[in-house]
């Protein structure tokens, strides 16, 4: 994986961490908060690799410019993921958020919602890529709870199964349609 | 505005700042980077108000718990916005990002795209609320350039006009449709 790709992977994970951190807060869910903490450790590893590799390349190619920007960006992204971990930490410390905070997040223009997939749902047994859920409905699945386990940051190849619990992020206008898709009332995206 | 609402406003601005910071990087655009810097100052003001007000309320109502969580969250959100400002600062310092970084961001699962609205576009002369653009297409308008001026973080009441330049965030599968909507080739959301 090249430096550019590694940096973008860091960027994507840091954004997922922010969404998961707020999700852990809304649903007062320790497991999601633990995942944020785990991702923070992964980010730290990537950060250190990126710093070392970019300096190594700069020396080898005698080009200091690229290393400068990559290190600045990686440092900012690392700081964003630190902050997301701090938000998750509120949940891990068993501090109960005041209901007004939860409700306010739920009523944001961009919100986070939970849907349980029924057998009769058109989402069941199809991959996120086949469904194009995000571009068709605006709702972006950020995590799936299946049985006792979580899938965090599902990809286009992730298949949705009946009984999956989906956590999605998207515009508040899309929430009702998303819930109706999950339970099988709405039959079209 | 209550403390919960103020905190959510901070959260929303911090997320807008991250998106704008990456936009400024992709389009090497100083004006967007300047807006990120301006928003950082606004966030600092809100942060200080929230800290003071939450402590004042805690003392008045003799309830320390809520202040504790609000201050933790506000501090994390403030740190996220600082990091976004640092990303924008790369552009303000005239450091040219390596093309690979720009291209990598554009190829992310969630990407940022620019569209110019033609007269014949079905987006023209309608508000974002009327269009439900985000829930219908997955593409979320984060900024509009109209004439020489910018509208950052448009609301559902913002009306799109012909010749507007829209910066939108959304799933990469939604990009082509979004561009075709802007130029008037696609006539349906």
């Amino acid at each position: 994986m090249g430096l550019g790709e590694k940096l973008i992977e860091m960027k994507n994970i840091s954004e997922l961490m922010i969404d998961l951190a707020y999700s852990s807060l809304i649903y007062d869910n320790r497991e999601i908060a633990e995942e944020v903490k785990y991702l923070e450790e992964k980010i730290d590893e990537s950060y250190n690799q990126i710093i070392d590799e970019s300096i190594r390349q700069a020396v080898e190619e005698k080009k200091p410019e690229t290393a400068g920007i990559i290190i600045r960006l990686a440092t900012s992204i690392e700081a964003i993921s630190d902050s997301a971990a701090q938000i998750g930490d509120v949940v891990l410390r068993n501090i109960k958020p005041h209901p007004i905070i939860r409700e306010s997040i739920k009523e944001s223009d961009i919100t986070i919602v939970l849907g349980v997939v029924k057998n009769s749902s058109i989402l069941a047994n199809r991959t996120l890529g086949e469904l194009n859920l995000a571009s068709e409905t605006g709702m972006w699945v950020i995590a799936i709870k299946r049985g006792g386990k979580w899938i965090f940051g599902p990809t286009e190849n992730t298949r949705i199964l009946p009984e999956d619990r989906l956590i999605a992020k998207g515009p508040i206008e899309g929430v009702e349609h998303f819930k109706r898709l999950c339970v099988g009332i709405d039959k079209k995206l």
Side-chain angles (χ1 to χ4, degrees), chain A:
Chain A
M1 200 187 285
L3 272 175
E5 281 169 306
K6 259 220 162 82
L7 193 71
I8 300 310
E9 192 190 56
M10 261 187 91
K11 168 189 172 288
N12 293 340
I13 294 176
S14 72
E15 294 184 2
L16 174 64
M17 286 174 71
I18 294 178
D19 293 335
L20 290 177
Y22 287 123
S23 306
S24 73
L25 204 65
I26 295 178
Y27 299 113
D28 192 16
N29 187 308
R30 286 186 72 86
E31 286 172 299
I32 303 175
E34 290 284 4
E35 175 69 13
V36 176
K37 199 173 160 184
Y38 167 76
L39 290 173
E40 163 59 13
E41 287 160 22
K42 301 284 283 180
I43 286 259
D44 279 349
E45 271 174 48
S46 302
Y47 175 68
N48 285 308
Q49 285 169 10
I50 285 173
I51 300 291
D52 293 344
E53 177 64 15
S54 61
I55 297 173
R56 197 191 60 70
Q57 278 189 19
V59 172
E60 199 168 272
E61 298 167 14
K62 295 180 185 160
K63 279 190 205 158
E65 302 81 10
T66 307
I69 180 165
I70 287 179
I71 290 170
R72 280 178 175 88
L73 292 178
T75 305
S76 299
I77 294 169
E78 203 276 328
I80 289 172
S81 74
D82 268 350
S83 305
Q86 290 290 332
I87 293 170
D89 198 52
V90 168
V91 176
L92 294 180
R93 285 175 184 273
N94 274 322
I95 304 165
K96 295 288 170 207
H98 197 277
I100 207 168
I101 294 170
R102 261 184 230 171
E103 289 314 310
S104 302
I105 297 177
K106 283 193 187 174
E107 285 161 20
S108 282
D109 288 348
I110 303 183
T111 188
I112 288 165
V113 61
L114 182 74
V116 183
V117 180
K118 297 287 168 213
N119 230 327
S120 58
S121 166
I122 59 159
L123 307 182
N125 305 307
R126 294 173 75 189
T127 66
L128 287 170
E130 285 163 10
L131 287 164
N132 279 332
L133 193 66
S135 55
E136 292 288 340
T137 69
M139 303 308 287
W140 191 270
V141 178
I142 57 170
I144 300 173
K145 188 166 191 184
R146 178 172 302 162
K149 290 194 178 157
W150 283 93
I151 301 162
F152 293 103
T155 68
E156 59 178 14
N157 298 319
T158 307
R159 192 173 296 278
I160 297 176
L161 297 181
E163 303 310 318
D164 276 358
R165 298 167 73 84
L166 312 180
I167 295 182
K169 181 189 184 184
I172 195 154
E173 311 90 73
V175 165
E176 283 313 311
H177 180 45
F178 175 76
K179 286 185 178 172
R180 286 196 304 263
L181 284 168
C182 288
V183 295
I185 297 173
D186 285 1
K187 292 293 185 190
K188 272 187 182 176
L189 290 177

